[in-house]
Amino acid sequence: MAGKTHVLVIPFPAQGHMNPMLQFSKHLTSKGVKVTFLLTPGAFSTNIQLQANFVNIACISDGSGQGDQAEGMVAYVERFRAAVSLSLAELIGKQKSSDNDPATVLVYDSGMPWALEIAQRFGLRGAPFFTQSCAVSAIYYHVYEGNFKLPLEGVTVALPSMPLLETNDLPSFISDAGMYPGLLSLLINQFSNIQKADWLLFNTFDKLEEEIVNWMASQWPVKTIGPTIPSTYLDRRLENDKDYGLNLFQPGAEACIKWLDTMEKGSVVYVSFGSLASLTENQMEEIACGLKNCGSYFLWVVRDSEESKLPRGFMEETSEKGLIVNWCSQVEVLAHRAVGCFMTHCGWNSTLEALSLGVPVVAVPQWTDQATNAKFIVDVWNVGLRVKANDKGIITGEEIEVSVKEVMEGERGNELRRNAACWKELAKEAVDEGGSSAKNIDQFVSEIVQLSST
């Protein structure tokens, strides 16, 4: 009966948004639900490695033909909204008139609340998918509701079911509200029609954000369905699910793993700042200095666009101690026995991957939600250290060296490793049969199947 149930899934075309929504789609497909995953031309033409039995991929116009964001993020998002509103409506309309199994549910990126209006116009149920933590989402909700004013008037913010947050623990769009007014507006407007949504899907798990999940569940029909990590590394319930299967960057997994295989257990610092962060040349020099002097081996992901910022001669000088690659399969690297800690920008996907694979963290947040994630990594989940920036906003090589040594060699590092190992088990428990997230996915499938049969 589930075979008649058809779900459209539309992510925002950025790596950190597509991966978790694609992973969720695989779980729906494994339960007999037909899923059509909608990609813009730029994402569609990238390195898609999907087994045919996972999900159907369809292309949807974003008005550019290439997904070019050169005009600036806010302008791109506005153009994206105008074009996708038309092409999504056209696609749903065609399905309604010609498809034997037309979609009954639209799962859409929470940053696209206008998609719900399109879904409901055609009689579809709608579920926003939040690719950030419940805590960060709740902060944006409180701003939307006017529960605290911007610019901030004090140095701390007290919110329901959350630890006391200092200014530098808040998302950068809030702590420095004047810098990105357009992006802040986009983020808080996630909640503009939230009361009309049928379900709210969050890429987290109950025990990770227990208090805030309970608070949210008292407001809305919340379902935690994470962590959306490839199944091989957690519950193994999806066959051959070793990677997300969609990369905007060409991974160099083979070279990374071959190199890691030569290293001793826990001897390597893995360093990556994600798919979007752009560091200054000064900051890159400081990171290079810290890694060079920390005494550990390192694997550093430096995207093509960032490579010119490396200090001259650094790669040659550290060739016996470090490996620099343009991209890699992060989950495969974090799961490797040789990795002893993860120096990360604390994007939500990277945070969940570290927790799910039991790797302690050196937190180097850059912007958006990352400072809030770092706060929870350090003070709530106790799995990492946050490197302090100086008064110019630069994280010095000395601070990086000290933090890496503390995690890799000190007693504090042993404590963080033990805590990370506990979260790894809780993440696995959540997605395994009978776990909180697994039950929520089963319940979601049951509810949408029932819709299709009425």
Side-chain angles (χ1 to χ4, degrees):
M1 200 154 152
K4 295 181 180 178
T5 303
H6 186 184
V7 176
L8 293 178
V9 178
I10 182 165
F12 186 77
Q15 190 84 61
H17 292 248
M18 294 188 293
N19 281 353
M21 294 183 74
L22 182 56
Q23 207 58 34
F24 176 64
S25 299
K26 293 178 192 177
H27 282 284
L28 296 184
T29 304
S30 75
K31 297 178 185 301
V33 175
K34 178 182 177 182
V35 175
T36 301
F37 196 80
L38 302 176
L39 291 176
T40 57
F44 189 82
S45 63
T46 58
N47 183 28
I48 299 173
Q49 307 157 333
L50 288 173
Q51 287 93 327
N53 64 333
F54 271 159
V55 297
N56 304 305
I57 302 287
C59 192
I60 190 167
S61 171
D62 64 353
S64 68
Q66 293 299 320
D68 179 21
Q69 299 182 25
E71 72 266 49
M73 181 58 82
V74 174
Y76 170 76
V77 169
E78 284 307 312
R79 178 165 58 76
F80 178 90
R81 171 180 176 163
V84 174
S85 293
L86 293 173
S87 48
L88 180 62
E90 184 181 357
L91 183 144
I92 295 172
K94 279 183 180 176
Q95 275 194 352
K96 281 282 186 184
S97 60
S98 62
D99 198 326
N100 291 331
D101 297 320
T104 52
V105 175
L106 176 70
V107 175
Y108 58 94
D109 194 297
S110 64
M112 298 154 54
W114 42 267
L116 178 61
E117 295 159 19
I118 295 166
Q120 292 180 337
R121 193 194 314 160
F122 288 92
L124 275 67
R125 302 296 180 93
F129 188 109
F130 289 79
T131 57
Q132 297 184 329
S133 70
C134 282
V136 166
S137 300
I139 291 170
Y140 288 134
Y141 169 74
H142 287 299
V143 175
Y144 177 79
E145 288 293 318
N147 294 337
F148 64 96
K149 292 182 179 179
L150 298 179
L152 295 168
E153 295 171 349
V155 292
T156 58
V157 174
L159 296 171
S161 305
M162 275 198 263
L164 197 64
L165 300 170
E166 296 184 10
T167 303
N168 70 348
D169 297 326
L170 293 165
S172 59
F173 303 141
I174 293 171
S175 60
D176 196 356
M179 189 169 282
Y180 305 102
L183 289 175
L184 176 60
S185 176
L186 287 170
L187 286 161
I188 65 174
N189 280 326
Q190 293 177 98
F191 297 94
S192 59
N193 58 5
I194 209 72
Q195 302 295 348
K196 296 178 182 177
D198 296 280
W199 307 270
L200 276 65
L201 305 171
F202 280 92
N203 182 21
T204 188
F205 57 100
D206 286 359
K207 287 185 179 175
L208 187 63
E209 299 188 84
E210 195 160 18
E211 289 184 31
I212 191 68
V213 167
N214 289 340
W215 180 83
M216 285 187 142
S218 71
Q219 316 283 315
W220 308 294
V222 165
K223 289 191 188 300
T224 56
I225 50 77
T228 55
I229 308 296
S231 188
T232 294
Y233 304 100
L234 283 177
D235 57 302
R236 299 180 177 272
R237 295 204 294 162
L238 297 180
E239 194 176 347
N240 296 321
D241 184 37
K242 298 176 182 176
D243 202 305
Y244 295 104
L246 194 157
N247 290 294
L248 294 182
F249 304 90
Q250 182 67 45
E254 208 171 298
C256 292
I257 300 305
K258 192 174 178 182
W259 184 80
L260 287 171
D261 284 344
T262 68
M263 298 296 164
E264 292 183 11
K265 183 179 179 181
S267 64
V268 175
V269 181
Y270 169 60
V271 185
S272 176
F273 297 99
S275 58
L276 291 175
S278 179
L279 307 181
T280 64
E281 195 168 316
N282 189 0
Q283 185 61 82
M284 290 285 279
E285 285 179 9
E286 294 294 336
I287 293 168
C289 178
L291 292 174
K292 188 176 178 180
N293 296 329
C294 73
S296 294
Y297 294 99
F298 64 86
L299 169 58
W300 187 4
V301 176
V302 180
R303 300 193 314 274
D304 282 333
S305 58
E306 300 285 287
E307 205 170 289
S308 62
K309 300 175 186 176
L310 287 168
R312 183 172 294 179
F314 175 74
M315 292 174 78
E316 292 76 20
E317 289 168 19
T318 58
S319 60
E320 292 185 6
K321 177 177 183 185
L323 177 66
I324 295 176
V325 296
N326 295 135
W327 200 245
C328 71
S329 171
Q330 184 159 286
V331 282
E332 194 174 0
V333 167
L334 288 172
H336 199 284
R337 57 170 181 77
V339 173
C341 90
F342 180 17
M343 186 190 298
T344 172
H345 65 312
C346 305
W348 185 236
N349 289 321
S350 291
T351 298
L352 281 178
E353 287 166 1
L355 289 161
S356 300
L357 295 165
V359 181
V361 167
V362 172
V364 188
Q366 300 299 304
W367 72 319
T368 183
D369 63 330
Q370 295 158 18
T372 310
N373 297 338
K375 166 70 175 177
F376 278 72
I377 283 168
V378 175
D379 293 337
V380 178
W381 305 319
N382 298 306
V383 294
L385 303 176
R386 182 171 178 174
V387 188
K388 291 187 176 72
N390 63 20
D391 54 6
K392 294 177 182 175
I394 296 292
I395 292 162
T396 66
E398 290 85 356
E399 287 288 341
I400 289 167
E401 180 186 344
V402 167
S403 297
V404 168
K405 282 182 175 176
E406 193 169 353
V407 174
M408 293 292 280
E409 302 168 13
E411 180 51 42
R412 177 81 172 119
N414 292 330
E415 180 190 344
L416 298 175
R417 250 180 294 284
R418 287 192 294 270
N419 292 337
C422 289
W423 285 114
K424 177 181 179 178
E425 290 307 308
L426 290 171
K428 183 179 177 182
E429 178 186 289
V431 295
D432 215 343
E433 192 168 351
S436 56
S437 293
K439 285 197 287 190
N440 284 339
I441 293 172
D442 286 344
Q443 189 180 15
F444 178 71
V445 169
S446 174
E447 289 169 10
I448 64 176
V449 168
Q450 198 170 0
L451 282 174
S452 302
S453 62
T454 56

